[in-house]
């Protein structure tokens, strides 16, 4: 696999994700404290009874002179419960913050993380994208004129019938996906202000050639998510050139002979890859006014939900198999 060294980043409004997760920490901690309270009561008092008989005594109404033994008991219980709650809450908060940081980190994926993500996708089977197709898919979604939510584009990565084995696996994989998304978004954002290109993730064959067909397949799947919005660029005689190279690679082995381009020799493929990489920058710049106008409209106009509201405890529509409150609700889309 040929992977360039790029620097990842988080777009300006990625703090929305962190704010959403932080807002949910209070409820989560409250549930944790209630659980500890119950466990503490059970451990300290057996089957919801006192360690010794204290008729009609409560911590607020017990007379000190006649029930000093009960007072000592209640003080002990308060101190013990405070220690347990404090340690449990700090542990839980640290674990939750770690999950948030993994989703909003500005660090690009290291080689071992790329390997883990690629192995995970390969383990699913033919229904899932490989790492090269995923890179092209994300590039198209980021370059495009419209915002596509994770609940819509994530199931396309691993297929409709997939579900994660555990919450830990889901948190790790979605965190790696979001960090790679941020890396692509940051590199493309730089192209607006300085000469820069995003170097895609391409898989090499044993002969050292990177066909890039899977990357083009992934890019075109991203285009198909909002195909009507891309027609303006595809049919433009003045600006449609940058996407031609991607479409040639996409249709190189098409089952329909009329859709196939002429044979692409090795030297021609290298030129085609250079055109594809440079064209990606032009595509991102072309749709930048569309994205800016959409952001202004979204900021002024009220948001109307076109689909039924998803309950916090319902399965997440992204297909991860987790509850919505533990999946896409705590990691909203990173806008670019």
């Amino acid at each position: 696999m040929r992977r360039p060294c790029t620097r990842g980043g988080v777009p300006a409004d990625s703090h929305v994700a962190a704010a959403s997760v932080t807002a949910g920490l209070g409820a989560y901690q409250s549930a944790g404290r209630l659980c500890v309270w119950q466990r503490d009561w059970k451990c300290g008092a057996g089957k919801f009874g006192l360690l010794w008989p204290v008729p009609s005594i409560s911590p607020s109404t017990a007379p000190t002179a006649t029930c000093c033994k009960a007072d000592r008991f209640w003080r002990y219980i308060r101190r013990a419960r405070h220690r347990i709650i404090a340690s449990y809450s700090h542990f839980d908060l640290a674990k939750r913050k770690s999950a948030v940081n993994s989703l909003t980190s500005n660090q690009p994926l290291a080689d071992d993380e790329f390997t883990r993500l690629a192995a995970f996708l390969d383990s699913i089977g033919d229904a899932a994208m490989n790492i090269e197709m995923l890179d092209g898919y994300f590039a198209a979604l980021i370059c495009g004129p419209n915002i596509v939510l994770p609940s819509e584009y994530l199931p396309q990565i691993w297929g409709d019938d997939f579900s994660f084995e555990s919450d830990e696996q889901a948190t790790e994989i979605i965190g790696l996906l979001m960090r790679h998304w941020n890396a692509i978004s940051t590199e493309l954002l730089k192209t607006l202000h300085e000469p820069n290109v995003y170097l895609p993730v391409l898989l090499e064959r044993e002969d050292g050639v990177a066909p890039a067909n899977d990357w083009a397949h992934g890019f075109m799947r991203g285009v198909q998510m909002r195909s009507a919005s891309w027609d303006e660029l595809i049919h433009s005689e003045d600006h449609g050139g940058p996407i031609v190279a991607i479409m040639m690679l996409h249709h190189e082995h098409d089952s329909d002979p009329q859709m196939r381009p002429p044979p692409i020799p090795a030297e021609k493929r290298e030129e085609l890859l250079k055109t594809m990489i440079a064209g990606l920058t032009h595509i991102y710049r072309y749709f930048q006014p569309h994205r800016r106008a959409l952001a202004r409209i979204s900021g002024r106009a009220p948001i109307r939900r076109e689909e039924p509201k998803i309950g916090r405890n319902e399965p997440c529509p992204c297909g991860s198999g987790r509850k919505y409150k533990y999946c896409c609700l705590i990691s909203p889309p990173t806008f670019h």
Side-chain angles (χ1 to χ4, degrees):
M1 179 173 66
R2 183 169 68 188
R3 184 181 68 82
C5 294
T6 58
R7 295 189 300 275
V10 181
D13 54 351
S14 63
H15 64 275
V16 176
S20 299
V21 180
T22 304
L25 289 178
Y28 191 89
Q29 284 183 329
S30 297
R33 291 177 180 176
L34 178 60
C35 182
V36 172
W37 169 280
Q38 292 172 346
R39 275 191 267 174
D40 175 50
W41 182 265
K42 289 179 181 178
C43 293
K47 297 180 180 180
F48 297 100
L50 299 176
L51 292 176
W52 54 82
V54 184
S56 305
I57 292 179
S58 69
S60 59
T61 62
T64 304
T66 58
C67 299
C68 59
K69 196 174 184 181
D71 278 350
R72 287 197 300 271
F73 166 74
W74 285 111
R75 285 198 296 270
Y76 169 79
I77 288 296
R78 289 193 191 99
R79 288 195 298 269
R81 186 174 68 249
H82 175 75
R83 287 194 298 269
I84 296 174
I85 289 174
S87 60
Y88 180 86
S89 299
H90 291 163
F91 168 77
D92 178 66
L93 182 60
K95 185 172 67 173
R96 296 283 288 179
K97 284 185 175 179
S98 175
V100 176
N101 292 337
S102 68
L103 295 174
T104 60
S105 173
N106 60 353
Q107 294 296 325
L109 298 185
D111 290 339
D112 63 323
E113 292 174 319
F114 259 105
T115 302
R116 289 207 307 273
L117 182 57
F120 164 77
L121 294 173
D122 293 340
S123 68
I124 298 176
D126 296 336
M129 301 181 180
N130 61 23
I131 193 70
E132 178 180 326
M133 189 180 299
L134 172 72
D135 189 76
Y137 181 60
F138 276 2
L141 294 174
I142 294 171
C143 287
N146 299 114
I147 295 172
V148 183
L149 299 179
S151 59
E152 184 177 356
Y153 69 71
L154 285 178
Q156 301 295 321
I157 298 175
W158 40 65
D160 295 331
D161 298 330
F162 171 79
S163 60
F164 286 102
E165 297 177 357
S166 63
D167 286 351
E168 290 75 13
Q169 183 191 46
T171 300
E172 178 191 13
I173 296 302
I174 293 178
L176 294 177
L177 291 172
M178 293 300 100
R179 283 174 56 193
H180 188 51
W181 174 289
N182 291 341
I184 300 174
S185 179
T186 299
E187 291 301 312
L188 288 173
L189 187 62
K190 293 178 182 177
T191 64
L192 300 177
H193 312 289
E194 59 185 66
N196 191 57
V197 294
Y198 171 69
L199 301 178
V201 176
L202 303 176
L203 300 177
E204 292 182 344
R205 297 189 309 221
E206 295 181 356
D207 58 1
V209 176
N213 297 114
D214 284 344
W215 193 92
H217 294 334
F219 190 93
M220 294 308 298
R221 284 188 65 174
V223 170
Q224 292 166 6
M225 297 293 288
R226 295 291 185 271
S227 57
S229 301
W230 284 78
D231 287 344
E232 174 186 334
L233 174 66
I234 294 174
H235 297 103
S236 173
E237 296 182 359
D238 299 328
H239 305 284
I243 203 172
V244 171
I246 300 175
M247 297 181 71
M248 288 179 64
L249 292 170
H250 173 61
H251 293 290
E252 182 179 8
H253 306 290
D254 199 293
S255 57
D256 186 357
Q258 297 183 352
M259 297 295 295
R260 298 176 198 162
I264 305 174
E267 60 276 7
K268 179 67 174 178
R269 188 176 300 276
E270 286 293 330
E271 296 180 7
L272 205 59
L273 292 183
K274 294 178 182 178
T275 304
M276 179 188 76
I277 294 172
L280 193 61
T281 299
H282 289 287
I283 295 172
Y284 185 79
R285 291 176 175 175
Y286 178 83
F287 282 125
Q288 175 61 13
H290 299 69
R291 293 189 296 270
R292 187 181 294 114
L294 180 62
R296 285 198 296 266
I297 294 174
S298 300
R300 293 195 304 266
I303 299 176
R304 293 179 174 85
R305 185 182 296 109
E306 299 180 357
E307 300 178 354
K309 182 179 179 180
I310 305 170
R312 288 171 54 83
N313 292 313
E314 294 180 7
C316 187
C318 74
S320 65
R322 309 170 73 198
K323 290 185 178 181
Y324 179 59
K325 64 183 178 181
Y326 294 136
C327 193
C328 290
L329 180 63
I330 67 169
S331 57
T334 302
F335 300 120
H336 49 273

